[in-house]
């Protein structure tokens, strides 16, 4: 057996993982490559000519930048609301016992299992029945509603892996409940809360179906891309997608580096 075959036999799990990772990253790589492309025509998506003009002038279309900024605003507000509500619910479900606790945990997961078409149309019916004007805030309310479930699941998973003896030790050292939460519990739960917030922002930023039902005249970035597809998507759209992916990667890497234990110390 030659050396590559021996390596593959010994590391086949790693090889399969790399193949799956490459498969998942392939569309992102295509988007990144097209961000440096000057297409032959507005309706063409072929790689015609290399250029950096798309990155030098990402706001060539004022409507595109307005839609991106509006999606960012909605995403930030929805992330803040979903993270606060979801974190409180995760603590309640993980740390306290009360009646109908299992039923509440099941109801929290329902928005994740409900098709977005059903969720979007139901919210539209609710807003119309309540005579609520569709626009920025109806989109925010809709995004908070379906993002809360993902925040609860993520933060709850982090809380389930925490060692409760650390909090007990802090209270044995005469720390009060608020001081224990601020100095011990919150720092330990912070990575899970940050991951939940990042996930909520990603889900809010790229949502189309629920937003399309409840946006009224508000145009977000996904809705702009959908409308522009009929007359030719500008290459700056690929710049926005690549930049968002790069920011997310940098955020994750920064969190990982910050959590890495520092070498050295007393010997």
């Amino acid at each position: 057996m030659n050396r590559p075959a021996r390596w593959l036999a010994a590391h086949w799990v790693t090889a399969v993982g790399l193949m799956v990772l490459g498969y998942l990253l392939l569309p992102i790589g295509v988007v990144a490559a097209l961000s440096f492309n000057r297409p032959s025509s507005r309706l063409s998506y072929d790689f015609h000519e290399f250029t950096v003009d798309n990155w030098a002038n990402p706001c060539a279309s004022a409507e595109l930048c307005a839609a991106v900024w509006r999606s960012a605003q909605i995403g930030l507000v929805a992330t803040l609301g979903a993270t606060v509500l979801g974190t409180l619910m995760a603590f309640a479900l993980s740390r306290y016992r009360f009646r109908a606790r299992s039923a509440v945990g099941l109801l929290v997961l329902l928005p994740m299992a409900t098709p977005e078409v059903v969720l979007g149309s139901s919210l539209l019916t609710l807003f119309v029945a309540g005579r609520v004007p569709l626009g920025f805030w109806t989109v925010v309310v809709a995004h908070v509603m379906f993002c809360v479930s993902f925040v609860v699941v993520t933060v709850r998973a982090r809380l389930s892996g925490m060692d409760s003896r650390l909090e007990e030790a802090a209270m044995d050292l005469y720390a009060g409940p608020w001081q224990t939460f601020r100095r011990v519990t919150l720092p330990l739960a912070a990575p899970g809360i940050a991951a939940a917030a990042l996930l909520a922002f990603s889900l809010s930023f790229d949502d189309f179906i629920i937003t399309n039902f409840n946006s009224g005249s508000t145009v977000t970035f996904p809705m702009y891309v959908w409308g522009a597809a009929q007359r030719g998507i500008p290459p700056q759209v690929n710049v926005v997608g690549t930049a968002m992916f790069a920011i997310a990667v940098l955020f994750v890497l920064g969190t990982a580096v910050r959590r890495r234990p520092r070498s050295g110390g007393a010997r």
Side-chain angles (χ1 to χ4, degrees):
M1 184 180 296
N2 55 18
R3 182 174 296 180
R6 287 199 303 268
W7 184 92
L8 187 61
H11 303 86
W12 64 272
V13 175
T14 303
V16 173
L18 291 175
M19 291 174 59
V20 173
L21 185 62
Y23 174 76
L24 293 175
L25 294 178
L26 181 61
I28 300 174
V30 172
V31 170
L34 290 177
S35 67
F36 296 96
N37 177 42
R38 179 182 287 118
S40 56
S41 66
R42 190 172 180 84
L43 297 176
S44 176
Y45 302 100
D46 60 326
F47 196 89
H48 177 66
E49 182 182 354
F50 179 85
T51 181
V52 294
D53 292 343
N54 301 328
W55 285 88
N57 190 18
C59 289
S61 173
E63 296 178 357
L64 169 61
C65 283
V68 172
W69 173 238
R70 196 170 295 111
S71 287
Q73 289 177 309
I74 293 173
L76 290 173
V77 177
T79 298
L80 179 62
T83 302
V84 172
L85 293 176
T87 301
L88 294 176
M89 293 178 67
F91 271 96
L93 292 172
S94 299
R95 299 298 180 86
Y96 300 97
R97 297 186 178 277
F98 51 89
R99 290 184 179 181
R101 177 187 175 188
S102 300
V104 172
L106 179 62
L107 291 174
V108 167
L109 298 178
L110 280 181
M112 299 175 61
T114 304
E116 290 192 356
V117 172
V118 176
L119 199 60
S121 59
S122 300
L123 284 169
L124 175 61
T125 303
L126 178 65
F127 290 138
V128 171
R131 297 187 178 182
V132 178
L134 300 179
F136 181 92
W137 290 108
T138 55
V139 177
V140 169
V141 170
H143 286 195
V144 169
M145 195 198 69
F146 74 80
C147 287
V148 163
S149 300
F150 294 91
V151 174
V152 171
V153 171
T154 306
V155 177
R156 195 175 180 183
R158 176 64 181 176
L159 295 177
S160 64
M162 289 172 50
D163 191 353
S164 60
R165 292 175 297 182
L166 297 175
E167 297 171 286
E168 295 172 359
M171 289 185 283
D172 287 341
L173 295 173
Y174 303 103
W178 170 244
Q179 192 175 13
T180 301
F181 176 79
R182 185 169 59 90
R183 295 290 184 88
V184 179
T185 307
L186 188 59
L188 291 175
I193 297 174
L198 184 62
L199 177 61
F201 181 82
S202 300
L203 292 171
S204 174
F205 188 87
D206 70 357
D207 179 78
F208 171 75
I209 298 176
I210 296 176
T211 304
N212 192 35
F213 275 103
N214 301 280
S215 61
S217 60
T218 302
V219 179
T220 62
F221 177 63
M223 295 182 62
Y224 171 83
V225 175
W226 175 71
Q230 303 175 10
R231 58 184 185 275
I233 300 177
Q236 284 78 11
V237 169
N238 300 311
V239 173
V240 174
T242 306
M244 292 298 299
F245 177 75
I247 292 172
V249 171
L250 291 176
F251 183 85
V252 173
L253 290 178
T255 304
V257 170
R258 192 175 179 182
R259 292 182 58 195
R260 186 177 61 184
R262 297 179 181 178
S263 59
R267 295 186 179 179

